[in-house]
Amino acid sequence: HGGALFTLIDTVMAATLTHGLSESEVCATLQISMNFLRPVVEGVVECEARVVNKGRRFANVRGELYVQQRLVGTADGNFAIMQAS
């Protein structure tokens, strides 16, 4: 189900970015471009993400989905960085 894969990659991308923020900052997804490369019929889906660029107010994050070390999806996302209130 594409929605489940999208939710996984969005969550991991945001968590990866959050790890690099200060305690007074939070982030929110602004936009994600998702590419489904292969169908996922069975197996464990693993996700990796890395921050490509982080500024004061915006960040770009790249995510990749794998099943048995085989790339099945990618995503590029833009995130807002805000001060927690």
Side-chain angles (χ1 to χ4, degrees):
H1 184 281
L5 296 174
F6 182 90
T7 299
L8 172 63
I9 206 163
D10 180 32
T11 302
V12 172
M13 290 167 67
T16 300
L17 176 58
T18 299
H19 184 71
L21 299 179
S22 71
E23 289 184 20
S24 65
E25 294 177 315
V26 295
C27 68
T29 305
L30 294 174
Q31 178 273 335
I32 292 182
S33 176
M34 181 79 195
N35 298 298
F36 298 98
L37 305 175
R38 302 180 193 284
V40 176
V41 180
E42 63 182 353
V44 175
V45 180
E46 296 181 18
C47 185
E48 297 178 3
R50 72 181 190 289
V51 177
V52 176
N53 184 56
K54 179 185 167 292
R56 282 186 15 251
R57 296 178 51 196
F58 301 101
N60 307 99
V61 184
R62 170 99 172 154
E64 297 177 338
L65 296 171
Y66 295 90
V67 174
Q68 296 177 357
Q69 299 177 338
R70 194 168 185 190
L71 186 63
V72 298
T74 63
D76 292 293
N78 300 314
F79 292 79
I81 299 171
M82 302 160 284
Q83 292 298 314
S85 51

